[in-house]
Amino acid sequence: MSALAAGFPEPHDFQADIDLVGGIEAVPTILDVVCRVTGMGFAAVARVTEDRWVACRVKDEIGFGLEPGDELEVASTICHEIRQSRTAVVINHVAEDAAYCNHPTPARYGFQSYVSMPIVLPDGTFFGTLCAIDPRPAQVDRMEVVGTFRMFADLIAFHVDAHRRVARAAETTRGAAFVQGILAASPDCVKVLSADGKVEYMNERGIALNQLGSLQDVLGLEFADMWPEEERAKIRDAVQLAATGSTSRTEGFCPTARGEPRWWEASFASFRVEGTDELKIVGISRDVTERVKAERERSDAAAALEALNATLAEHVQARTQERDRIWQVSHDMLGVADGNGVWLSVNPAWKAILGWQPGEVVGRTSEWLEHPDDRERTRAEVARLAAGQTTLAFENRFRTRDGGYRTLSWRAVPTDGLVYCVARDVTEQRERTLLLEQAEEALRQSQKLEAVGQLTGGVAHDFNNLLTIIRSSVDFLRRPNLPEERRARYMDAVSDTVDRAAKLTGQLLAFARRQTLKPEVFEVGSQLSAVADMLDTVTGARISVMTELPDAPCFVKADLSQFETALINMAVNARDAMDGEGTFTLRLTCSSGLPPIRGHAPAPGPFAAVSLADTGTGIAAEQLARIFEPFFTTKEVGKGTGLGLSQVFGFAKQSGGDVDVESAVGRGTTFTLYLPEVEGVTRTEPASANEGETFPTGDGQCVLVVEDNVEVGRFATQILEDFGYRTSWAANAEEALERIGSDGADFDAVFSDVVMPGMGGIELAKILQRRLPDLPVLLASGYSHVLAQDGLHGFELLHKPYSADQLGRILGKVAPSRQRRRSPRESR
């Protein structure tokens, strides 16, 4: 067939590619197998480029008419598409193939079945395709057919790549640059001699080895004349032998130009200059001085060894006796086993430790001695030894003759098919270790109990004080005819005391990192300035408040309220430490790393570092390790709860940061709060619901209260009914789901506790969020580790203890009025 692509540019040497494929002996067999496996009549290996399709080798049994070197218009072939996608195309029947039934190529070349596999070289270069066609349909979209084509395409790619590598290597070695590189890289003296043995060239390494000034020092000299008189004859003989076409080699002594003694190994061979018949001789001289010296030293050593051999038998006998004594008296169990773990020899220590005679052990494996719980591990270790790996520390238990077990620590080395073992009895050592661990665990439990006792005592003390106020106030409120002014005072006292109790609980939860946080992104510098302005008004005129902020903004994501509380807690401590006079400095550093704190590893950051430094009395070194413990305080009785710094510590840890302290008595203290930095965003304040209301009310909305505590459930429903809501009460989440039903049409909101038996409030809220996304859910919790760890999941949260006013206001925000609310059926 005539070339259809005549006139196209030819950026590749296609004839070389045709010759390359034609030279692969496996290609005819590949094409024959392809036709027999598929039942197709035409198969070819084609070279496909961006603008040409060239047949490199073909098998044609249908008279398609292509020969090696013939071309098809590349754009008219499916191979052109395969070159772009690098994906095989397999067609059983063109007329029934949705992708190719209207494709122009099958109609143009008259085929109904088609297979083409890309040939991609190991470096990712696309070479061409292995393809087959037939005018009849064929069942070719089969795993074995596609797999055969892929295997053959990879085989062709391998041969093409190998041929090209060989060709490039051959081309490289023929170049002058290659020769120059060889001469430059050679560690030996390389020279070119004329046919009569005169020096015409010597490489730089040879000039350096011979300590010559330059090539000019020896150019034109007979090479043999460079050697001492007694060596010249054999050098001339070697050069003359090389001139006859043989390779010659000799060794001799020849000092350098500076007189340093050297021994050389010299080799010579002849060649003719390309394009001429001129004979040249190449010579290579290798410095073997060190080898000659080593041989002489070995000769001297051999003589000394020969003298030693006279008494060697005596020494061997002495060493053998020494080894036997070690074997007999060793307190460790020694043994030699074969590769299968069968003992060939054991020493007397086996009887001393286990009670078994050596004859009872030799000839058997140790499986019958191994503790049943250790047997699998021991067999695995024996297999490792059989594979040639060394055992450095392995422990198991062996049965003694009296039925007990001893703990053994093994070291074993496999050598020449045998395994040499040493086992030490560590039973008492392990028992002592176990007793020590038990004692340490008992000490830890004692310390935990002491800490719990301290914590419990502190909580009991503070809560008893608060409960005293509440109990006394309630007693007075029960008195008849109590004046309204005193009634208001006692009611305020109860309310304030509840707030203090809630704050105390929050500080405890913050230290335990169980406080439910509401993280948001805010700019640290502006918040620090606001706190500084507030502190400046309350610290007194003799305390100077300084602020050092960077020029660039610094953003973190944390609970803003807890952040401000932490700053105030640290600031209050600083104020008290300065006793009304001094300097208080607030400093912000951005993009810093987290240093190692209290034995924890550092972190690279970036972190925002908020430092609060005072010039107060400082903290003693022995107290620094305890200042973050709950209820620990250095202040006088009644001056502090000891929970302020605990809140700072818990907030920092739960926010992904830490807090550090540096202090010296009489020189002041610096607290540094580290929080992870984030990308800055603009924070918008949400509008408060029912703004302007003096008291929250409902307008008949129906609220489902989910609370397992009977008293709290009754109290919550009573509050909501007093606010104007209709209520229904479910004792658990499962009952709540049953009451809500599939559409929740009877309810306007759900008010659920978080911690309940069975399904918790968070899981209930998630189910309702998926099932009824328009039904608002309000959660209430005094404590939940799930909320502390995972956050609010987007739900509103009311903290216990909550006031009636707080419940009414937040429910008024989340629950729509009945005039604005449509039922789910209406919304559909």
Side-chain angles (χ1 to χ4, degrees), residues 331-346:
H331 292 289
D332 291 333
M333 294 166 50
L334 307 180
V336 181
D338 63 16
N340 297 318
V342 176
W343 292 106
L344 305 178
S345 178
V346 296

Side-chain angles (χ1 to χ4, degrees), residues 74-105:
V74 68
S76 71
T77 67
I78 297 177
C79 294
H80 180 62
E81 301 171 9
I82 294 174
R83 181 182 182 275
Q84 295 173 333
S85 67
R86 307 267 179 119
T87 304
V89 173
V90 182
I91 306 172
N92 291 333
H93 191 179
V94 170
E96 298 177 357
D97 192 290
Y100 289 94
C101 60
N102 295 319
H103 197 282
T105 296

Side-chain angles (χ1 to χ4, degrees), residues 89-136:
V89 173
V90 182
I91 306 172
N92 291 333
H93 191 179
V94 170
E96 298 177 357
D97 192 290
Y100 289 94
C101 60
N102 295 319
H103 197 282
T105 296
R108 180 168 181 172
Y109 296 113
F111 61 81
Q112 284 298 320
S113 55
Y114 178 85
V115 182
S116 184
M117 182 67 62
I119 300 173
V120 181
L121 303 185
D123 64 356
T125 303
F126 182 87
F127 180 81
T129 60
L130 171 63
C131 53
I133 63 173
D134 198 272
R136 301 163 301 172

